[in-house]
Amino acid sequence: MPSLFDPIRIGAIECANRIFMSPLTRSRGTRDHVPTPLMVEYYRQRANAGLIISEATGVSQQGLGTPFAPGIWNDQQIAAWCPITSAVHAAGGRIICQLWHMGRVVHSDFLGGQPPVSSSAIAAPGDARTYDGNKSNVTPRALAASEIPGLVADFAQGARNAIAAGFDGVQLHAANGYLLDQFLRDSCNKRTDAYGGSPVNRVRLLREITEAIAATVGPERTAIRVSPLIPMLGCQDSAAEEVFLCVADTMSRIGIAFLEVREPAPNVRPDNAPLIATQIKTRFRGPMVLNTGYDRADAMAAVANGSADAITFGKPYIANPDLAERLSKNVPLATVNVTTLYSPGPVGYVDYPRYASMPGL
Ligand SMILES: Cc1cc2nc3c(=O)[nH]c(=O)nc-3n(C[C@H](O)[C@H](O)[C@H](O)COP(=O)(O)O)c2cc1C
């Protein structure tokens, strides 16, 4: 029976354990979306994870509307990621880059006043973040079919750049209501061309981008993340099961390194909550990684009973830089300070203590 603490090979990547760090936007880059030296220390501290998935990282300015979030589209950004990946490798860890396009939730302030792009011209509910505080989401323009090859090329270039920056692979962000989710879901995709309508059509953009990335860096270094039943930023589906089983089949054919699914863990799942990960697992021929609300017991059970090959931890990895060691020794976990999640500087970022260095031990 596999254990959470066993090593695992995920595609081309050898991971020392199955406790992975989830992608976490922390907004400690520069205003020009370049990673900073502070980020070297943050990721180095967390190299005990079997695999680190980096914070969401923009593949283009068109797709990045989060203040101080990093990108991977220019040479300065690539150069600034290099010390981060080297530090993680030197500490024995592995790290892949989460590639991001935010679509309609990029505020036009980031785009010289131009509207953002999406599957259809429908504004997301709520606010977008800008350097001048939160502002209402603006109505995007629908991407023309003729623009799709350029978008696919941006992602392929992002993947190439990530490998040049020393990452072990990439994860395509197709979760949480961003551009790819805006194509997958019928609440926001109202297209009548080959990229809208049937599940196969709505999965087409994700397929084309994944194929392009796999052709660039190898399927064994390509992963994706989805959040089928977690409605975010106005993205949800009247038939999520059909769409995400189609995603699972498509990803099996491409032969990606792993598929990560967000679905609440048993300890945080409301009674009778609909589930989809189990069905995806029966259709996806490759390692599957689960996330959201996992504690030690749920994570150990999920790996032992075969529902997951590894678990990603988000908030626990923010507050416990040595999370894999703490889980393996079964010692208490610290909780996250939500006021410093996106604040500038080291506080609440690189100052969470390791368990062994806590006073009184
Ligand atoms: C501060 C913060 C930033 C996040 N940034 C990202 C991100 O960049 N990409 C992503 O896919 N998910 C992001 N998420 C979601 C987490 O990866 C994870 O799915 C979520 O926290 C649930 O896992 P947990 O219960 O272990 O925290 C973020 C969550 C938090 C709390």
Side-chain angles (χ1 to χ4, degrees), residues 233-282:
L233 304 174
C235 282
Q236 48 199 309
D237 210 90
S238 58
E241 200 177 301
E242 254 186 282
V243 177
F244 287 93
L245 292 181
C246 177
V247 168
D249 292 342
T250 306
M251 294 302 137
S252 287
R253 276 200 298 277
I254 300 172
I256 62 170
F258 72 91
L259 174 59
E260 186 190 4
V261 180
R262 287 196 65 187
E263 182 171 279
N267 77 87
V268 291
R269 196 178 287 157
D271 285 345
N272 305 318
L275 301 176
I276 202 165
T278 321
Q279 293 169 71
I280 293 177
K281 177 89 174 143
T282 63

Side-chain angles (χ1 to χ4, degrees), residues 172 184 198-212 214 219 222-224 226 241-259 279-280 282-286:
L172 183 52
L184 290 173
S198 66
V200 171
N201 279 1
R202 282 183 275 135
V203 173
R204 188 178 308 275
L205 181 63
L206 174 61
R207 174 175 65 72
E208 290 182 355
I209 292 175
T210 311
E211 284 172 349
T222 303
I224 72 159
V226 292
E241 200 177 301
E242 254 186 282
V243 177
F244 287 93
L245 292 181
C246 177
V247 168
D249 292 342
T250 306
M251 294 302 137
S252 287
R253 276 200 298 277
I254 300 172
I256 62 170
F258 72 91
L259 174 59
Q279 293 169 71
I280 293 177
T282 63
R283 294 277 279 269
F284 176 66
R285 295 187 304 273

